[in-house]
Amino acid sequence: MMPQETLTLIDQNSLGVSFPQRHQLGGFQIDFFQGTEGKSAGVWQLHVSANGWSSTWVPTRGMGLAQVDVGGFPFGWQSPVRGPVHPQWVPVFEPSGLGWLDGFDELLVRCGVTSNGAPQFNEQHQLELPLHGRIANLPAEFLSLQLDKDGRLVIQAEVYETRFHFDKWNLTTILKLDVDRPRIEVTDKVTNLAGTR
């Protein structure tokens, strides 16, 4: 058994996040940094590597998975969009409702909480709900990493999709990574904190 260690990188009660950060948790190297160029400027990224494989997560974009690399072989989505794209460059509510596509380049992305699927329009052809919703373009408000008793890395993130008098959704993402093999277990839990809808 290995001792449990916890590292909190984002906490909504803290005054700010400093970059770059490098940490070691068990056999995992943790790099937490911020993009500096183009549409990736300001995007928080979490790179986790261990024993010949790595994964890159994007807390700024709903805790999406940008890519995985196993022994120098990349797994990801080869989108014409070059990212990760900061949500400020993703016009989710542009008139066609397809603005979500301007930021899509992750291997794993969250698609909607309030809405999911195609854009929805009212009788006057005005956009009511955009393609795939907003959650993929909202930042995590909490991010922690911990080693469990078996030496796996457990990453927990909290993302909130809220609108005054409308929605109050919480997405809790729990990721479990093995140190000795390229395996990621993803568990997402969505909670309606408003008790309506």
Side-chain angles (χ1 to χ4, degrees), residues 92-125:
V92 174
F93 286 97
E94 58 98 17
S96 75
L98 300 176
W100 184 91
L101 297 172
D102 288 6
F104 177 43
D105 80 328
E106 294 98 338
L107 173 61
L108 180 143
V109 64
R110 275 43 178 221
C111 296
V113 175
T114 301
S115 65
N116 196 344
Q120 295 179 29
F121 299 87
N122 62 22
E123 292 178 1
Q124 291 77 37
H125 304 289

Side-chain angles (χ1 to χ4, degrees), residues 55-68 75-79 84-85 100 103-112 132 135-138 157 159 171-177 183-189:
S55 57
T56 304
W57 303 87
V58 192
T60 302
R61 294 186 46 80
M63 203 56 193
L65 172 58
Q67 68 176 13
V68 172
F75 292 85
W77 168 245
Q78 292 189 0
S79 169
V85 177
W100 184 91
F104 177 43
D105 80 328
E106 294 98 338
L107 173 61
L108 180 143
V109 64
R110 275 43 178 221
C111 296
H132 297 320
I135 199 79
N137 289 288
L138 295 173
V159 182
L171 169 66
T172 300
T173 296
I174 298 177
L175 313 165
K176 295 183 180 179
L177 286 68
R183 180 176 180 272
I184 301 170
E185 179 183 319
V186 179
T187 304
D188 283 350
K189 177 183 175 185

